Amino acid sequence: MAEVVEFRVPAGSGQTLLVWGLEPEPSLEHSLFSAFSKFGLLYSVRAHRNAAVAGPGYYAIIKFYSAGDASRAQRTCNGQRLFQKSPLKVCVCTKQKGFQQQVLALNSSKCQELANHYLGFNGWSSRIITLQNVSGFDGVNEELGKTLQKRSVKYLCAVEVALPNHGVHTRGVALGEADVENGEDPLEFVTATRRVQKLAVGKALSNAFQKILLIVLENGKVVVEYNSSQEEPTDFLTEEELKGLVQVNELSLEQFDLKEEEVLSDLSFDDELPSWEMPSD
């Protein structure tokens, strides 16, 4: 049976394994990752100490992107010793009734990891359409007769993701912003600007991947579909139209504030912007 894989945090119960009977060791999560990643790409591995009433030892929650991969891992690993002396117990988690988990977009790093796994490193590409400064002053406060200004740095970014082997192109638009406490400090302003640019680019890339559905067939082949349910008004604009709307402030910036998981994990103050094709001025 074919399975749909989305660029979202795995939330289905069939994608999550519960592993218990774990013996303590310094690199427990690494050992779990090595053992279970053989069955497919993992989203996360988290090991926890047992509650006092359960006795000594550990348990782990392992999330796969694919429910099929999780099922194969459960059948193969349950009752096996793998990397320890005693056998492990592995089961597929069941969803509690009435529990609705929020579905979040993957951050850009996770999106790229997922794309590389299913499409290959050369199976997709991305480019920045526009990265524009849409900053302004949020407000002016008077204190002790002095006027203080708190600068807000905002960048709006549009990114295109192309899958040439599948004839699919998607676009993502997102806003990155941060406050600069001391607008008079050039170093603080430059640091904040770099961070906000990187944030906007990463969020736009994530937004573009939300419009892609990976259909994994039984034989392992991958078919790509465009997810029209995630379309936005800006998807129907030409690149020049999008740039023009941003310049005259006809866009509502709040609509591009993508709710994304682990956004801050994409950021490193020492990193440069991704080496994608930058638009010419």
Side-chain angles (χ1 to χ4, degrees), residues 24-237:
E25 64 169 87
S27 55
L28 180 56
E29 289 185 347
H30 176 74
S31 298
L32 287 165
F33 181 89
S34 298
F36 284 88
S37 61
K38 297 175 182 177
F39 300 93
L41 185 63
L42 303 180
Y43 169 73
S44 65
V45 176
R46 298 288 184 268
H48 306 275
R49 188 186 301 272
N50 289 342
V53 294
Y58 286 76
Y59 70 95
I61 303 295
I62 300 176
K63 287 189 175 184
F64 285 82
Y65 288 99
S66 163
D69 292 343
S71 178
R72 286 192 297 274
Q74 188 276 328
R75 294 195 303 269
T76 303
C77 297
N78 185 38
Q80 301 300 313
R81 292 182 174 82
L82 298 182
F83 50 82
Q84 62 180 36
K85 296 180 180 180
S86 59
L88 301 174
K89 295 181 180 179
V90 184
C91 71
V92 178
C93 292
T94 56
K95 185 181 298 184
Q96 296 179 349
K97 293 183 179 179
F99 178 74
Q100 186 68 33
Q101 184 172 351
Q102 184 181 11
V103 179
L104 298 174
L106 289 175
N107 66 34
S108 61
S109 296
K110 293 284 190 181
C111 285
Q112 293 174 79
E113 183 180 43
L114 187 60
N116 289 337
H117 179 78
Y118 283 106
L119 303 172
F121 290 94
N122 298 319
W124 66 279
S125 64
S126 62
R127 69 183 181 93
I128 297 175
I129 298 173
T130 184
L131 179 62
Q132 297 194 27
N133 188 344
V134 292
S135 305
F137 289 92
D138 287 342
V140 178
N141 297 316
E142 291 188 1
E143 182 179 345
L144 299 178
K146 295 183 179 180
T147 300
L148 302 177
Q149 291 180 326
K150 184 178 180 180
R151 187 105 184 238
S152 176
V153 181
K154 295 182 181 181
Y155 272 81
L156 188 68
C157 182
V159 167
E160 181 187 64
V161 171
L163 285 66
N165 296 334
H166 301 273
V168 174
H169 292 74
T170 67
R171 179 190 292 171
V173 182
L175 177 71
E177 63 178 314
D179 290 333
V180 182
E181 295 297 332
N182 183 6
E184 301 298 324
D185 184 346
L187 179 59
E188 183 177 349
F189 181 76
V190 170
T191 301
T193 297
R194 291 179 59 200
R195 179 165 61 92
V196 168
Q197 287 177 336
K198 196 172 195 300
L199 176 61
V201 171
K203 292 173 71 174
L205 180 62
S206 174
N207 183 249
F209 273 115
Q210 302 313 301
K211 298 159 189 173
I212 296 173
L213 295 176
L214 303 174
I215 316 297
V216 184
L217 307 179
E218 288 189 69
N219 59 8
K221 292 185 177 181
V222 178
V223 177
V224 177
E225 294 288 343
Y226 179 75
N227 187 2
S228 59
S229 67
Q230 298 294 318
E231 280 184 335
E232 300 166 306
T234 51
D235 291 327
F236 302 98
L237 301 177

